[in-house]
Amino acid sequence: MSTENLPQSPEQPPRKPRVAVVFGGRSSEHGISVVTAGAVLRAIDRTKYDVLPIGITRDGRWALTADEPDRMAIVDRRQPDVEQLAESSEGGVILPVDPANREVVYSEPGSVPKALGEVDVVFPVLHGPYGEDGTLQGLLELSGVPYVGAGVLASAVGQDKEYMKRVFSSFGLSVGPYVVIRPREWERDESAARKKIIDFAGEHGWPLFIKPARAGSSIGITKVDSLEGLDEAIEEAQRHDPKIIVEALLRGREIECGVLEFEDGPRASVPAEIPPVQSHAYYDFEAKYIDSTPGLVPAPLTPEQTAEVQRLAVDAFEAASCEGLVRADFFLTEDGEFVINEINTMPGFTPISMYPKMWEASGVVYPELVDRLIGAALRRPTGLR
């Protein structure tokens, strides 16, 4: 029998790549991560990608959440929470552990697990420990799922301010004076650990910045002007991390620069300057996210200074073996030297954050920025590279 005149079944259109946006998490930066996720979800091109929002609660449960970016915003100075967005108070999302299978499953107590389909790439917008520090990246490497941003090593280096500075110093980048107090030092001899900080102050002067070694968004940081406030500052830092880092004040201008991975390698954005914040002791959490203190984009630098900080930002990206994106933060000291303070491998990523603003001023608007990051992740192989 001839099939010539039989109706032909239409070809199925190719499946769009599926992006799992993972956000929230167990760190003190949970709320900012949710805000970032809202911005990313709003910006993803739905004609190119299918999207699966997955929130991690403060206690570590992976929850299926509503795809409602408008609910992921700071309202009346209150930060959003994954629990408010979760479709169930008990259900959990399970990532594949077999690299040959990228299907995500949703399970609730007493119910048959439900397949949510395959995930082609994860966009992790977690900040701080248990997400930005290499832990999630290691899980995704084991699962064989591509993801946006830095790999395991670079994420860990970018999270730990001590080892970040050690890496940068070994590559010839200038870092400011610092001293680290590890938890064992504090437990073994609290007086000796405290004296270590006091001796550091004697050498470099007050004020000092007492920081959790592995936190971000300026959470847990205290500017200490004298010995009187030291114990309270140490206690505040240790609430977020048992390991603390103490940094000397560097007098100069705060300059930031974004790095983005293009097809031909990493490129730097125009830099920005964070001007002194009159209502805050320094550029702290509230100045960044609540009061939205504006930065100067582009920074008022000479062409030579702009080229130098862009070069150093890419050098920092390469030194830490980063991928995808980085925001590099510098001080331009009074003698004209750029000193690197830190990098963020998943910087603040809301439309009002400095990283997207720097790239917008460089000609890459927010939706294109998101698209480029997803594209870079899909191009990269999983495993050693």
Side-chain angles (χ1 to χ4, degrees), residues 27-50:
S27 83
S28 52
E29 299 174 77
H30 178 101
I32 293 304
S33 174
V34 179
V35 175
T36 297
V40 170
L41 287 169
R42 194 177 288 110
I44 290 178
D45 185 349
R46 305 304 177 100
T47 66
K48 288 180 65 174
Y49 304 107
D50 286 329

Side-chain angles (χ1 to χ4, degrees), residues 125-353:
V125 291
L126 296 113
H127 302 303
Y130 311 110
E132 190 183 351
D133 60 349
T135 49
L136 176 63
Q137 290 74 16
L139 175 63
L140 295 173
E141 292 286 354
L142 288 172
S143 301
V145 179
Y147 53 92
V148 168
V152 177
L153 173 66
S155 296
V157 168
Q159 188 65 43
D160 191 310
K161 293 177 174 62
E162 175 193 2
Y163 287 99
M164 183 196 309
K165 292 176 188 294
R166 289 181 181 273
V167 167
F168 290 154
S169 293
S170 72
F171 277 83
L173 281 81
S174 178
V175 302
Y178 70 95
V179 66
V180 174
I181 309 295
R182 295 183 175 83
R184 284 197 191 96
E185 292 179 79
W186 200 260
E187 293 160 7
R188 187 166 51 238
D189 191 337
E190 186 175 319
S191 297
R194 191 171 182 274
K195 183 178 183 299
K196 189 174 173 181
I197 300 174
I198 295 170
D199 289 346
F200 180 78
E203 182 180 356
H204 298 285
W206 302 92
L208 301 177
F209 289 89
I210 315 295
K211 302 181 176 183
R214 296 163 292 191
S217 295
S218 299
I219 290 173
I221 297 176
T222 307
K223 181 183 179 184
V224 181
D225 295 308
S226 68
L227 189 61
E228 185 179 341
L230 182 59
D231 289 343
E232 186 178 347
I234 291 170
E235 185 178 336
E236 172 60 16
Q238 288 177 332
R239 283 200 316 112
H240 302 277
D241 187 349
K243 176 180 174 181
I244 65 172
I245 187 167
V246 181
E247 295 176 352
L249 173 69
L250 288 176
R251 302 189 184 279
R253 298 160 62 186
E254 291 190 49
I255 306 295
E256 299 183 347
C257 192
V259 180
L260 177 64
E261 184 180 340
F262 285 74
E263 288 83 355
D264 60 351
R267 301 183 201 170
S269 70
V270 300
E273 179 170 3
I274 308 300
V277 185
Q278 301 303 323
S279 57
H280 297 263
Y282 60 97
Y283 192 45
D284 61 8
F285 178 87
E286 296 227 341
K288 288 179 180 178
Y289 296 108
I290 305 298
D291 297 330
S292 301
T293 302
L296 304 176
V297 186
L301 299 171
T302 66
E304 293 77 16
Q305 289 172 327
T306 295
E308 175 69 359
V309 77
Q310 288 175 323
R311 180 186 69 79
L312 291 170
V314 173
D315 284 352
F317 183 95
E318 298 282 28
S321 298
C322 293
E323 295 169 294
L325 73 163
V326 148
R327 193 192 72 230
D329 301 345
F330 297 85
F331 290 104
L332 177 55
T333 63
E334 293 172 342
D335 61 3
E337 180 187 17
F338 281 106
V339 176
I340 189 162
N341 184 39
E342 64 179 36
I343 57 169
N344 277 266
T345 55
M346 184 51 70
F349 207 79
T350 70
I352 65 167
S353 299

Side-chain angles (χ1 to χ4, degrees), residues 359-380:
W359 276 109
E360 183 176 14
S362 305
V364 181
V365 295
Y366 193 89
E368 182 187 349
L369 186 58
V370 170
D371 191 66
R372 282 193 172 277
L373 287 168
I374 295 171
L378 287 169
R379 286 194 305 271
R380 283 201 306 268

Side-chain angles (χ1 to χ4, degrees), residues 44-124:
I44 290 178
D45 185 349
R46 305 304 177 100
T47 66
K48 288 180 65 174
Y49 304 107
D50 286 329
V51 177
L52 177 66
I54 300 173
I56 301 177
T57 64
R58 293 181 189 273
D59 62 3
R61 180 172 65 92
W62 289 52
L64 188 63
T65 63
D67 185 5
E68 298 178 15
D70 290 343
R71 293 173 58 195
M72 303 179 183
I74 295 174
V75 178
D76 296 330
R77 305 179 77 87
R78 292 195 303 272
Q79 298 177 48
D81 193 284
V82 166
E83 291 283 8
Q84 301 164 357
L85 301 161
E87 295 194 353
S88 163
S89 60
E90 294 183 311
V93 174
I94 304 168
L95 282 184
V97 292
D98 179 359
N101 173 23
R102 293 182 180 175
E103 188 162 77
V104 175
V105 173
Y106 179 71
S107 177
E108 286 193 61
S111 300
V112 176
K114 179 173 65 174
L116 299 178
E118 291 189 353
V119 166
D120 297 286
V121 62
V122 170
F123 199 135

